[in-house]
């Protein structure tokens, strides 16, 4: 879960770097090529942020699954102890 959380953090950081590079990049660059580049970067950063969201979701799912397994394991152990007793 921690690894997926780290992946999400890094993907968000990369997306922010790209956005910052475009915002602070060549301000005198204009025209169709500049517009196309900015549009492409916006789409790319959006997909990076989407992937980061999925990685964070996966991290949460793994944590919840682990908690569920621990709960079932404890319940089974308690049932065995009660039966043996």
């Amino acid at each position: 879960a921690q690894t997926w959380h780290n992946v999400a953090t890094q993907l968000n950081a990369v997306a922010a770097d790209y956005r910052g590079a475009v915002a602070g990049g060549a301000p005198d660059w204009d025209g169709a090529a500049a517009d196309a580049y900015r549009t492409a970067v916006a789409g790319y950063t959006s997909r990076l942020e989407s992937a980061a969201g999925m990685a964070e979701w996966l991290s949460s799912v793994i944590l919840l699954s682990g908690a569920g397994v621990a709960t079932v394991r404890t319940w089974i152990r308690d049932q065995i102890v009660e039966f043996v007793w």
Side-chain angles (χ1 to χ4, degrees):
Q2 184 62 45
T3 299
W4 283 110
H5 175 73
N6 293 342
V7 167
T9 301
Q10 289 300 313
L11 287 172
N12 279 323
V14 169
D17 287 347
Y18 268 97
R19 284 194 197 281
V22 169
D28 56 340
W29 186 27
D30 58 3
D35 293 340
Y37 176 74
R38 289 183 185 104
T39 300
V41 169
Y44 181 66
T45 56
S46 177
R47 288 187 296 278
L48 282 173
E49 291 166 343
S50 177
M54 287 185 261
E56 195 63 50
W57 173 80
L58 186 55
S59 173
S60 297
V61 167
I62 290 169
L63 282 174
L64 289 173
S65 297
V69 167
T71 300
V72 169
R73 180 183 298 159
T74 300
W75 180 80
I76 290 172
R77 187 187 66 221
D78 291 347
Q79 295 301 311
I80 292 170
V81 167
E82 185 178 322
F83 176 76
V84 170
W85 180 253

